[in-house]
Amino acid sequence: MTLTREWLEPIGVMPVIVLNAVEEAVPVAEALYEGGIKAVEITLRTDAALDSIKQIKKECPDIIVGAGTLINEQNVEQVAECEVDFAVSPGMTEKLVKKAEACNVNLLPGVASCSEVLRGMELGLSCFKLFPAAAVGGLNLLKSIYGPLPQASFCPTGGLKIDDFDQYLALPNVACVGGTWLVPKDAVASKNWSAITEIAKRTVAKVEAVA
Ligand code: 3PG
């Protein structure tokens, strides 16, 4: 299945989350949801990731739950088993896209150039993660791509901050944005869930100001 701009747009901001313990999963997701965040992306960078996804799916039915950092076909199978709502990969290969299709996983693959967008369009995709967004050209790159490829929509991620993500969100080819700023490592380590809700609220207020 392929993700559409209409599906991504209401999400606004996608927190990219690294969890070291399953016990952190539900409190983090609930803290974000309380702050107005609708979706979470749990990255497959830790051993706790898959169980964390399962816990959030089970205990937080109102949250859209995605998996991030998929890098191979086995990852696609793993997240399909967790029945994720979407999945994100830092890059794009034909194998990943085809496997996601076969497993009914809504994949948002990472791209960083026009050639990659074209390859994705050949595979039937119209929405991409732009990664690492700030490092590959950020706002200027997105504005430049919009000229020849206005039909492609992006979720820029990588290097975005609470101070500048709204500039990305205001671009016509940006459907939503992603980043780790919503879930600071120290807030998770100290179980400071209210700090996460506070950042989420500040973030959502900026999203609403762009809309
Ligand atoms: C990702 O995987 O999308 C990035 O690690 C997020 O990048 P950030 O930490 O700069 O937000």
Side-chain angles (χ1 to χ4, degrees):
M1 299 209 295
T2 58
L3 286 177
T4 62
R5 185 185 175 106
E6 292 66 35
W7 191 87
L8 285 170
E9 247 175 12
I11 288 175
V13 172
M14 209 182 269
V16 177
I17 305 171
V18 181
L19 293 169
N20 291 305
V22 181
E23 299 72 48
E24 299 164 355
V26 170
V28 166
E30 282 177 344
L32 289 165
Y33 187 71
E34 202 180 317
I37 294 292
K38 301 184 181 84
V40 293
E41 176 191 327
I42 310 298
T43 56
L44 302 187
R45 296 178 203 179
T46 62
D47 292 340
L50 291 170
D51 285 338
S52 296
I53 290 168
K54 287 180 192 158
Q55 284 277 326
I56 300 170
K57 286 284 294 177
K58 191 168 132 210
E59 294 189 33
C60 312
D62 296 326
I63 301 178
I64 300 169
V65 187
T69 322
L70 276 74
I71 57 169
N72 54 43
E73 292 173 295
Q74 191 201 354
N75 291 155
V76 178
E77 284 170 8
Q78 288 167 326
V79 304
E81 207 176 293
C82 299
E83 297 181 6
V84 288
D85 299 305
F86 68 96
V88 186
S89 55
M92 186 182 67
T93 69
E94 197 170 325
K95 270 189 183 173
L96 265 184
V97 174
K98 295 218 158 132
K99 185 70 178 177
E101 251 175 48
C103 294
N104 273 330
V105 168
N106 297 313
L107 183 68
L108 187 70
V111 297
S113 70
C114 282
S115 295
E116 290 171 285
V117 174
L118 290 181
R119 225 170 291 146
M121 283 167 42
E122 284 171 4
L123 295 168
L125 303 175
S126 60
C127 295
F128 306 90
K129 162 171 167 147
L130 178 73
F131 182 78
V136 296
L139 297 167
N140 285 334
L141 178 71
L142 284 159
K143 285 178 195 165
S144 303
I145 291 181
Y146 185 65
L149 299 172
Q151 61 277 64
S153 295
F154 298 92
C155 172
T157 309
L160 277 66
K161 307 277 175 233
I162 195 163
D163 296 327
D164 67 4
F165 81 85
D166 50 336
Q167 293 177 47
Y168 285 84
L169 214 44
L171 297 178
N173 53 349
V174 171
C176 62
V177 300
T180 56
W181 79 82
L182 290 115
V183 184
K185 277 187 199 144
D186 54 346
V188 179
S190 59
K191 301 192 191 315
N192 191 351
W193 314 130
S194 61
I196 293 173
T197 299
E198 209 41 53
I199 299 170
K201 281 185 181 162
R202 279 173 51 212
T203 298
V204 170
K206 290 190 79 169
V207 173
E208 283 166 0
V210 176

